[in-house]
Amino acid sequence: MPSKDGQKSSGSLTTADLYQILRAQLRGRNQKLKQRGFHELLAEEVAVSKIGEFYYGEKLFARPEDPKLRALADRYDMIPEQAFRMTGGPVETMKNPCRCADLTCLQIQGAHLSGSALEGSDVTFNGNPFEWSDIDVMLQLGPVEIDKDMKRNPTRSPDTIYVTKTSVPQKGFFLLHHVPLPSCSRHDPIPFSGHRLKKRLINTMKMNGFKDFRHTTNVRSLQNFTFEGPSVASTDQITSADMVICISFPHWPSQEFCSRKRHHKHPGGELVRLLRKTPALLVPVGSADSSTKLHEWRLSFSRHEYLVYRALPRVLKDCLIVLKYANAVVNGPKAAIKGFLLKTSVLWLAELHSEDELNRKNFHECLLMVLDFVYSSVEKRRMACYFWTEINLLGRCKLDDLKKDVDRLKKHLEDAVRNIVAVFTRYDDSGVRDPRLPSRNYDDLRKFMFGNDATARRGEQDSETWMTEENMRKLFSSRAPLSTLHDKVLRTLSSPDKLKRCQEARKANRAERW
């Protein structure tokens, strides 16, 4: 482990230098991959190279036939402002137990990216980009009106589904029931079942693959559907997206969150008021031990998390993404430490420590502070949900595995950072240049990672972490054709003269192609 004062760790690079370079690399990659110009230019380059076909906006571009290339094309094609813009798509109906439970009017009213893909905190390496961070797509269904005390209403609209909400013993979970029609003689309420809706969504996708939606690039190519928690996981060989049905829940229990004393004024009063007005979401997943788990819905604060994440101090944003990458290479893609636990820890620490206090610490101390928060929560067997403290986020976690993963990540944190810096140096797509970094040659990078004590350190990493020789070679592997185009696009964007020549050449050929 590195020392807190930043002892030398790789040639002339100290631990502090490594952290500084990695933070710059992550920012550089994230900024470039989010640029609209990057997506547009990449789409043009893929079209020129004639690799299959895919949609970008209203244009049909080349989509790779190879599934790995298609996965990369889909990945870079997704822009939050345009991805999955769907309206008016009716959810397929099946035989209903009663007219009260008719879902004919139910529609996919809209969709948005959620989680790490939206925040820019997702883990992306070469090879399979979805092995690490899935794309989360929230599909909001409606019109659905929720009211705890709603009775039979003879004047209700036939184009709206009316349901009542009742709590279950597990905090954060609810049962929804259809409000009966005035003419209905049934006495047992009919569940507005999340499991039933997920089955309907799968039937809809199997029937038409969302052909009517021009912006659903990632969903159109997906074919294999399975239930995973609240989501319908859809995969086509290596392409992966988690589609989560949700309904709006305007009256979330916000009193404790809004009245909480915040000595360091984070989040600020204006943001707190915005969060209070922002509806939460209900997603279809039940409590593990509940007899009604197939019909239950869980409260989701994904919208609120994104708003607070954007307001976090820069150092805590960097802590989150560095720890997610380090956790990935130390503990592997199936680590017990999940991104939502790291994110919740960071949100709490932003309240407990002022930005000035955080900036006075060295970065390694900040990383350990986040991991210590996770570890202490595990020892208490409780991590409170940031937006509703009565919810315990550790209720369904394997605590012993969590402890082991935290200890392992602390022990190998510097090794992980050095390896990730080497991987990004190999990719050469962050815009970071430092004369102390090695060349992109694999042997030079390997020496950079392990120094003169390569054999001993290699053996320790092979036996204790995911960072085996085989796995690291995968991350260093040669790039696919579309990935080469990705490099070309980034270099073009960074060179004004080259960009101008490229734009002129595309303009000359556009009339012929379109």
Side-chain angles (χ1 to χ4, degrees):
M1 290 179 59
S3 63
K4 293 185 178 181
D5 57 349
Q7 295 298 316
K8 289 188 176 183
S9 55
S10 289
S12 60
L13 288 172
T14 66
T15 300
D17 293 331
L18 280 172
Y19 284 128
Q20 184 178 11
I21 290 172
L22 178 56
R23 293 169 73 181
Q25 286 177 326
L26 289 168
R27 291 180 194 174
R29 297 184 89 228
N30 190 47
Q31 289 171 2
K32 289 184 176 181
L33 298 183
K34 295 294 181 183
Q35 286 180 11
R36 185 180 183 87
F38 169 80
H39 292 262
E40 293 173 342
L41 189 55
L42 181 67
E44 293 273 355
E45 291 286 354
V46 173
V48 171
S49 301
K50 302 184 184 303
I51 314 177
E53 65 176 38
F54 69 96
Y55 278 105
Y56 177 79
E58 295 296 332
K59 292 183 178 180
L60 179 66
F61 292 97
R63 173 180 290 282
E65 295 300 329
D66 183 285
K68 292 183 180 180
L69 302 183
R70 183 166 65 239
L72 285 169
D74 286 341
R75 176 67 164 185
Y76 297 133
D77 172 29
M78 286 186 52
I79 299 179
E81 290 79 5
Q82 288 195 331
F84 301 100
R85 188 176 300 159
M86 297 182 290
T87 56
V91 174
E92 181 270 340
T93 58
M94 299 165 59
K95 184 177 179 181
N96 294 310
C98 177
R99 282 197 309 121
C100 300
D102 182 30
L103 300 178
T104 303
C105 66
L106 195 63
Q107 295 182 331
I108 300 171
Q109 294 183 316
H112 61 275
L113 293 180
S114 181
S116 58
L118 179 62
E119 297 164 354
S121 63
D122 49 337
V123 175
T124 307
F125 287 119
N126 273 0
N128 178 1
F130 302 102
E131 184 178 3
W132 308 94
S133 295
D134 289 330
I135 295 174
D136 295 323
V137 186
M138 308 298 285
L139 303 177
Q140 186 166 332
L141 302 184
V144 178
E145 189 170 324
I146 303 174
D147 193 321
K148 183 174 64 174
D149 301 317
M150 193 178 294
K151 305 298 182 183
R152 300 172 190 243
N153 185 350
T155 62
R156 68 186 192 178
S157 169
D159 298 325
T160 301
I161 294 173
Y162 298 88
V163 296
T164 60
K165 172 182 67 69
T166 54
S167 299
V168 298
Q170 184 68 33
K171 286 291 182 181
F173 292 86
F174 301 94
L175 274 173
L176 303 179
H177 292 93
H178 289 272
V179 175
L181 291 166
S183 58
C184 183
S185 59
R186 293 177 64 105
H187 298 289
D188 54 321
I190 301 173
F192 183 64
S193 169
H195 181 74
R196 182 181 173 210
L197 287 176
K198 285 191 287 188
K199 289 175 65 176
R200 290 173 182 270
L201 179 64
I202 289 178
N203 288 336
T204 299
M205 291 189 286
K206 285 182 177 179
M207 284 195 309
N208 59 35
F210 289 112
K211 291 177 183 177
D212 296 332
F213 305 126
R214 299 295 296 276
H215 295 288
T216 57
T217 311
N218 284 66
V219 182
R220 286 175 68 246
S221 65
L222 305 179
Q223 300 172 359
N224 303 311
F225 307 104
T226 56
F227 292 165
E228 291 189 7
S231 66
V232 174
S234 180
T235 59
D236 182 357
Q237 297 190 44
I238 70 164
T239 312
S240 175
D242 288 342
M243 286 161 286
V244 184
I245 292 173
C246 63
I247 58 176
S248 181
F249 184 45
H251 307 296
W252 63 279
S254 60
Q255 183 177 359
E256 185 276 332
F257 175 78
C258 295
S259 61
R260 190 181 300 163
K261 291 184 179 179
R262 297 177 171 88
H263 301 292
H264 301 296
K265 309 299 181 183
H266 178 87
E270 185 176 347
L271 179 53
V272 170
R273 287 188 288 273
L274 173 62
L275 292 166
R276 182 178 57 190
K277 296 177 182 177
T278 301
L281 298 171
L282 292 179
V283 297
V285 64
S287 176
D289 301 324
S290 173
S291 60
T292 58
K293 63 182 179 182
L294 288 180
H295 303 309
E296 290 174 5
W297 297 76
R298 188 186 72 203
L299 197 57
S300 168
F301 293 105
S302 59
R303 288 173 171 171
H304 302 74
E305 288 175 358
Y306 176 61
L307 292 172
V308 178
Y309 173 84
R310 284 172 34 178
L312 282 175
R314 179 75 264 177
V315 63
L316 286 180
K317 287 184 181 179
D318 287 352
C319 279
L320 176 60
I321 190 168
V322 167
L323 284 174
K324 289 178 75 170
Y325 269 92
N327 181 48
V329 297
V330 171
N331 294 313
K334 306 300 182 183
I337 304 176
K338 302 302 181 184
F340 75 89
L341 296 177
L342 294 173
K343 185 192 298 181
T344 301
S345 301
V346 164
L347 296 182
W348 278 116
L349 290 170
E351 279 201 10
L352 299 173
H353 302 272
S354 69
E355 186 169 358
D356 288 342
E357 179 185 353
L358 293 169
N359 288 334
R360 285 196 298 269
K361 296 177 179 289
N362 67 52
F363 190 67
H364 182 68
E365 289 177 320
C366 292
L367 294 176
L368 292 182
M369 183 173 63
V370 178
L371 293 177
D372 287 341
F373 188 94
V374 176
Y375 195 89
S376 64
S377 298
V378 173
E379 288 193 319
K380 298 173 186 175
R381 310 180 72 84
R382 176 175 177 77
M383 181 184 289
C385 170
Y386 182 68
F387 297 97
W388 190 14
T389 54
E390 293 185 32
I391 298 175
N392 178 18
L393 298 181
L394 297 181
R396 300 169 71 177
C397 296
K398 296 180 180 179
L399 302 185
D400 290 340
D401 291 344
L402 262 175
K403 278 187 176 183
K404 292 176 182 177
D405 275 13
V406 172
D407 286 336
R408 190 182 299 115
L409 184 52
K410 282 185 175 182
K411 178 178 179 180
H412 295 281
L413 187 55
E414 185 188 347
D415 288 334
V417 169
R418 185 188 296 105
N419 288 358
I420 298 166
V421 168
V423 169
F424 291 160
T425 301
R426 172 83 165 185
Y427 293 174
D428 194 29
D429 60 3
S430 67
V432 175
R433 299 287 185 271
D434 191 301
R436 296 169 295 177
L437 289 174
S439 71
R440 298 177 66 194
N441 177 273
Y442 179 76
D443 292 333
D444 291 341
L445 291 168
R446 194 175 187 281
K447 185 177 180 181
F448 170 81
M449 289 191 293
F450 304 111
N452 297 325
D453 192 20
T455 302
R457 294 178 62 189
R458 176 78 275 164
E460 188 176 70
Q461 286 191 29
D462 279 357
S463 62
E464 296 183 6
T465 75
W466 181 89
M467 296 182 289
T468 63
E469 182 79 23
E470 179 183 1
N471 286 334
M472 292 308 297
R473 280 188 177 275
K474 288 180 182 178
L475 297 188
F476 283 114
S477 62
S478 58
R479 312 207 71 173
L482 189 63
S483 207
T484 302
L485 288 180
H486 156 271
D487 286 344
K488 178 181 177 182
V489 168
L490 289 179
R491 291 193 179 92
T492 301
L493 289 174
S494 63
S495 171
D497 293 338
K498 188 181 294 185
L499 179 59
K500 184 177 180 180
R501 292 195 300 272
C502 184
Q503 289 170 338
E504 290 173 350
R506 291 204 315 275
K507 186 176 180 181
N509 293 325
R510 189 168 294 164
E512 178 183 348
R513 287 193 282 120
W514 303 109

